[in-house]
Amino acid sequence: MGMVNMHEAKTSLSKLVEAVESGAEEEIVIARNGKPAARLVPIAVPRKKRRLGLLAGKYPPMDFEAFQAMDAEIETMFLGKEK
């Protein structure tokens, strides 16, 4: 799609915006009388920063052996019987 004339841009603006938003087109150049006049590009939306470690200290530490020991308890909860 790359370059479109002004009349085509007027009649199919929503399709052009959708193509840019979806990533199907990186940019679309709008031409007037065959000469580039404007460029349609997606807006770079800043990503929200994630805070890491929000649950740090909320749960007691668990070593690997204690984690594995929970398997029997979980199996009992699902199957309703002991090993």
Side-chain angles (χ1 to χ4, degrees), residues 35-78:
K35 295 179 183 174
R39 187 169 40 155
L40 184 61
V41 295
I43 294 176
V45 179
R47 295 184 119 196
K48 198 174 188 180
K49 291 185 179 180
R50 293 185 189 189
R51 284 187 46 205
L52 299 178
L54 289 176
L55 298 177
K58 301 260 183 189
Y59 298 99
M62 183 180 288
D63 60 350
F64 184 72
E65 288 77 27
F67 181 75
Q68 293 292 50
M70 291 175 50
D71 284 351
E73 182 183 344
I74 293 170
E75 185 177 340
T76 302
M77 286 191 283
F78 276 101

Side-chain angles (χ1 to χ4, degrees), residues 2-60:
M3 185 182 281
V4 297
N5 63 31
M6 189 69 71
H7 179 70
E8 184 181 349
K10 284 181 185 179
T11 58
S12 61
L13 181 62
S14 60
K15 289 181 184 178
L16 296 174
V17 171
E18 185 179 324
V20 172
E21 275 182 324
S22 69
E25 294 285 336
E26 253 182 63
E27 70 175 31
I28 297 172
V29 176
I30 301 171
R32 183 190 309 258
N33 298 327
K35 295 179 183 174
R39 187 169 40 155
L40 184 61
V41 295
I43 294 176
V45 179
R47 295 184 119 196
K48 198 174 188 180
K49 291 185 179 180
R50 293 185 189 189
R51 284 187 46 205
L52 299 178
L54 289 176
L55 298 177
K58 301 260 183 189
Y59 298 99

